[in-house]
Amino acid sequence: MEQFDSPPPPGPFAPRLSSGSQTAPFRPGAYFYVAFFGGAIALGVVALMNLGRLSKVTNLPQKTYAVLALTAAAAVAFLLVAPEDLMATTRNVRLGLRMIAVAGSIALYRFHKGPALGALKSDGEYTSMWKAIGWIIAASIAQGLLVAPFVLART
Amino acid sequence: MDPHLLLASQALDRGNGARALSHLDSVTDFSDPEVFRLRAAALISSDRFAEAEDSARRGLELAPGNRLLQMELARSLSNQDKNAEAERVLITALNQAPENLPLLTQYAWLLAHSGDAVGAHAVMDRIPGDVLNGHPSTLALQGYVALIEGRQRSARQFLNQGMAMDPESVSTRMLLALENSLDDKPRSSADNMLAAAMLDPEMAGEYGREARYIQHPLLAPARLIGRIGPAKLWLAFIVVIYLGPQVWPGIPLGPILVAYFALVIYSWTVPWLLRRWMIFRGQL
């Protein structure tokens, strides 16, 4: 993550590339499925894991953090201010949170698809999202535990 | 100049690395560093990158600081994914000739291919604007950097400008194919790849095979998801599931549910399996 979006200083050229092998990024198109099945926290975990694997593009980390913050804020606002009759069934709560997470995944897809393409290795393959399945499951359980008190308090 | 070197150089200009190598086999005087440069270039053109690296290094032993040999060495290294080593070679050359345009362009490409769009921009800032906007190769560079920065509209403009200047540019065609694929336009992507295959006989097989994979009939359902967009399809599915029974009480929700999830699972698994199957069969 060092020198993520800082241009080199003028004057003599200095090395910017590290010799360590880097992992190919996850396919940003798969964010949608992570958001749909795993929820907003899983989306955040995967997007942050991917951020270090993407091309170095000006303001990309800031845009990513902003989208994740907005998604989290929208999810909390939904849990706090959604009408009582909507919160009456957990199905509606799950649907509402999914809609918010999917909206976040669409924004992240738009910001990450170019930088992910630029970070592909010579074989042109993305890293399979299945490799993050443990993190996705853990994050979706965490989301369930965080949401449960809100739902119990309002039903 | 040895006539074999001239013939090798002409073969390379036509993009025929194998022919250039056969001419170079007849060379007997190895005191000229140009022999090693042409050999390195021909080997790169034939995808024999380790041998190209060796040839460039041997040339540099004869002529240390030769810019053209340094560039071939950097090309052979980056083609072996040794980008940090390639960068060291280019930086050594650039710190001796900071305004050398081919070196600057090659370094900007190296950074862009390594995923460092910020660095590539900084190097491009050192290239005069008229050069940057006046050549198909530098327009392709700007197009690629814009593409990996997520500025697709700018990328398309640069690439179309480059295509207008040189309609036979293979690299611009391939970048347009990449841009199309990013935009979920598989047909345009395949068309550009096939055009590139026709323009570059050495790469015809590879580009043609990739185009065939993209257009494979088994990928039609996956292309449907790509064309509509997974998010839009899901939103439509949610609308149908939740509002369908109110608007149309007899709506068959079960089959719709099964069809949607079957399509999603198909789009996850079949492209991956098909690519591996085609590689296994030697078709890709």
Side-chain angles (χ1 to χ4, degrees), chain A residues 47-65:
Chain A
L48 292 177
M49 281 170 79
N50 218 17
L51 189 56
R53 302 173 179 194
L54 300 174
S55 301
K56 295 175 186 176
V57 172
T58 309
N59 293 333
L60 183 65
Q62 289 86 334
K63 285 176 186 168
T64 304
Y65 302 145

Side-chain angles (χ1 to χ4, degrees), chain A residues 7-8 11-17 19 32-33 36 55-58 91 95 99 102 106 113-115 117-118 122 125, chain B residues 81 83-84 87 91 94-95 104 114-119 122 126 147-148 152 178 182 230-231 234 242 264 268 275-276:
Chain A
F13 290 87
R16 292 178 62 86
L17 304 177
S19 51
F32 166 76
Y33 301 110
F36 178 74
S55 301
K56 295 175 186 176
V57 172
T58 309
R91 189 182 77 151
L95 177 67
M99 297 282 273
V102 165
I106 295 168
K113 67 176 175 175
L117 187 78
S122 50
E125 296 268 2
Chain B
D81 281 338
N83 288 345
E87 183 187 38
I91 281 180
L94 273 167
N95 282 334
L104 283 169
S114 308
D116 184 357
V118 178
R126 296 180 185 235
L147 200 61
I148 66 172
Q152 268 181 267
L178 201 63
L182 205 60
W234 176 73
Y242 281 85
V264 168
W268 284 352
R275 184 174 277 279
R276 266 137 199 87

